[in-house]
Amino acid sequence: MSLTLGEHSARHLRFILRAYLGSWGMTEIRDAAELALTELVANVVRHVPDRHCELLILRRPQGLRVEVSDRCPRLPTQGDGGELAESGRGLLIVAAVTDRSGYLADADGSGKTAWFECDAKGQSS
């Protein structure tokens, strides 16, 4: 999906993700996937000037992969995790609730893709 995000887009995208997970029989990863998606969407809203991104939701043999790509060359950074920090915790949260996560800079330096994967019980590897 090609999207321009607003302040309330995460709610609508969680609904779409929930529908996919339900139809795929992966409801046990719903909470983690929704939280991780919310964090990646919040990063676009907060840090990408035009708020434009591409969202990819993929069913994988072992579970789910979600990718959020944007054209902002600035790479994500993790905060120091201090308990009073107001930002910089999103990537820490994504890493904590998913099985794998990360980000990749575009080869030409024009943007990046943040991603996560959640393994579903009962899915073949």
Side-chain angles (χ1 to χ4, degrees):
M1 293 177 262
S2 181
L3 306 163
T4 300
L5 301 175
E7 298 292 331
H8 303 286
S9 296
R11 183 178 90 197
H12 303 290
L13 294 174
R14 284 191 305 269
F15 178 82
I16 292 168
L17 178 62
R18 191 176 313 125
Y20 277 118
L21 292 174
S23 70
W24 295 337
M26 296 184 202
T27 56
E28 76 277 3
I29 63 172
R30 186 182 74 199
D31 291 342
E34 286 185 25
L35 178 55
L37 176 61
T38 299
E39 291 298 331
L40 296 186
V41 167
N43 284 343
V44 172
V45 170
R46 194 172 295 120
H47 301 294
V48 176
D50 66 1
R51 294 183 172 184
H52 185 78
C53 72
E54 304 285 327
L55 172 64
L56 185 61
I57 300 171
L58 295 169
R59 180 180 181 180
R60 312 248 338 209
Q62 70 276 17
L64 170 76
R65 180 178 175 99
V66 173
E67 298 180 1
V68 178
S69 302
D70 64 62
R71 304 311 295 160
C72 181
R74 190 174 25 173
L75 296 178
T77 59
Q78 289 185 359
D80 63 7
E83 62 185 61
L84 298 178
E86 292 185 22
S87 65
R89 294 185 185 171
L91 293 177
L92 295 171
I93 292 170
V94 172
V97 301
T98 63
D99 292 296
R100 287 165 298 286
S101 65
Y103 62 88
L104 302 167
D106 292 350
D108 63 3
S110 65
K112 64 194 164 298
T113 298
W115 59 272
F116 67 85
E117 294 179 348
C118 294
D119 294 340
K121 295 180 180 92
Q123 300 296 316
S124 60
S125 300

